[in-house]
Structures are given as C-alpha cells and as structure tokens.
C-alpha cells in the first residue's frame, strides 16, 4: 500500500479543493511531492497538464486576478506557493451553480504546503501577504488569449475581503468591467 502524499479537503464550493502536501524530512532537509496524477485524479484533477507557469510577486498587498478562460479553453488549475504567503481566491462562475458568484479563499504558503485545485468555471486570483511570493501553477489548457476572461477584483457584487490594503493591481486587472445584473455565468 502506497502512503498518501496529499490530504484533500472539500470547500464550500463544489469541486474546489484544498490540498495539503505531506512532507518527509530530516536534518538534511525535506521532500514534498508537488503533484502526482494518480493521487490527485480522485480529487478531480484528472485531465492532462498542458502548461506549467511560475510567478514572482515582489511586494506584499499586490493583487493578481481574477482570471479565467472560456470554453473550449476552460482550464483546471492546481496552484501552489513555493515561497511566501498569499490569500488565494476562487469565484464560482458556473452558470446554474447553486454557489454562483460565491467566492472562497485560503491562505497558501510555502510553510503550510497547501495547494488549491480550481476546476473549470472558476475565476482565480490572489493577494500577496508577504514579500517575494513565488507561485507554481499547473494548467490543463494552454493560455488562449481569445478565450481570456476576467473579473474586477474590487467588484462590489463579489465583495471579496482582501486582508491587506491593495498595494497595486495591474491596469489589465483593474480595468476588468464590473459584473452586470444580467451576467448569467459561463457554460462549459
């Protein structure tokens, strides 16, 4: 019997999972598995990885997001923090979902070894809580500019509770439009 390397927990939003990586270590250091297709398939991350990205965000309080891709390029994401700490946020955009436009956030850090599995139909973003945050993303679809979508991270309809004053937001993210009352979600 293989020892599980991940603890997978449900969140209040169906399909959105919090994954905690096990760590083995001694006086020399540690080993922590970042990804295993066989183990994570049971959590819903069962599509092939098409793209891997790494980001570095220098200052605390910076907000990146809220990004998603429309079908047929809708993607699952598996987000981990390699250095620093962030508040990672996912918003349910699935048309007809009982949790439509609800958001859920988790603190992810190098120390707590938590990752977020964000399924298709969710927008994703984060705020850095420390300096020099490095994130590692696994995507099930390549980035497709023609399928890109985004939410304004300050949209009052979402009312995301960012823990720090916003130090900066890119012009691209700041200029995403606010949701209108007729926004019915995205179909997959």
């Amino acid at each position: 019997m293989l020892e599980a390397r991940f603890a997978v927990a449900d969140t209040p939003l169906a399909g959105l999972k919090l994954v905690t990586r096990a760590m083995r270590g001694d006086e020399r250091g540690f080993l922590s598995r970042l990804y295993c297709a066989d183990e994570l398939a049971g959590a819903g991350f069962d599509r092939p990885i098409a793209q891997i990205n790494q980001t570095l965000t220098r200052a605390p309080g910076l907000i990146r997001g809220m990004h998603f891709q429309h079908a047929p390029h809708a993607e699952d994401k598996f987000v981990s923090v390699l250095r620093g700490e962030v508040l990672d946020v996912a918003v349910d955009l699935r048309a007809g979902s009982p949790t439509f436009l609800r958001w859920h956030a988790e603190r992810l850090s190098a120390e707590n070894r938590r990752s977020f599995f964000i399924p298709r139909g969710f927008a994703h973003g984060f705020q850095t809580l420390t300096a020099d945050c490095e994130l590692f993303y696994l995507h099930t679809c390549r980035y497709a500019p023609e399928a890109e979508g985004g939410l304004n991270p300050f949209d009052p309809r979402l009312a995301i509770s960012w823990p720090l004053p916003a130090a900066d937001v890119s012009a691209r993210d700041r200029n995403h439009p606010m949701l209108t009352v007729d926004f019915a979600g995205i179909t997959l």
Side-chain angles (χ1 to χ4, degrees):
M1 180 81 161
L2 292 175
E3 178 183 337
R5 309 282 181 173
F6 303 98
V8 180
D10 291 327
T11 70
L13 307 181
L16 180 67
K17 308 281 185 180
L18 180 64
V19 178
T20 304
R21 300 181 310 277
M23 181 178 77
R24 287 188 179 175
D26 58 26
E27 65 282 350
R28 299 170 298 162
F30 71 89
L31 168 79
S32 178
R33 185 174 291 170
L34 288 172
Y35 173 78
C36 177
D38 291 342
E39 289 183 50
L40 292 172
F45 199 78
D46 54 5
R47 296 170 66 203
I49 295 169
Q51 187 169 307
I52 300 172
N53 294 328
Q54 180 180 10
T55 63
L56 170 66
T57 307
R58 295 264 182 226
L62 293 169
I63 296 173
R64 290 185 185 252
M66 304 294 297
H67 306 141
F68 63 95
Q69 291 198 149
H70 293 277
H73 301 284
E75 62 185 344
D76 299 326
K77 292 181 185 177
F78 191 76
V79 181
S80 301
V81 173
L82 301 177
R83 181 170 44 150
E85 182 177 19
V86 303
L87 182 76
D88 210 65
V89 180
V91 177
D92 187 351
L93 298 179
R94 299 171 293 184
S97 169
T99 56
F100 176 63
L101 292 186
R102 283 189 44 205
W103 59 271
H104 181 77
E106 293 284 346
R107 285 178 181 253
L108 307 181
S109 71
E111 286 73 32
N112 70 19
R113 296 176 317 281
R114 290 180 173 172
S115 299
F116 232 177
F117 168 62
I118 303 166
R120 290 164 289 199
F122 281 75
H124 170 255
F126 65 88
Q127 182 177 43
T128 55
L129 304 178
T130 60
D132 296 324
C133 291
E134 276 188 75
L135 279 70
F136 183 78
Y137 298 77
L138 305 176
H139 301 262
T140 58
C141 283
R142 66 168 179 78
Y143 172 66
E146 69 278 10
E148 180 180 58
L151 305 176
N152 189 299
F154 305 111
D155 192 317
R157 191 162 173 205
L158 299 175
I160 297 171
S161 296
W162 301 107
L164 299 178
D168 194 13
V169 179
S170 72
R172 173 181 155 224
D173 291 343
R174 189 176 42 249
N175 290 324
H176 286 305
M178 301 296 178
L179 292 170
T180 60
V181 292
D182 62 337
F183 178 70
I186 59 174
T187 54
L188 301 174

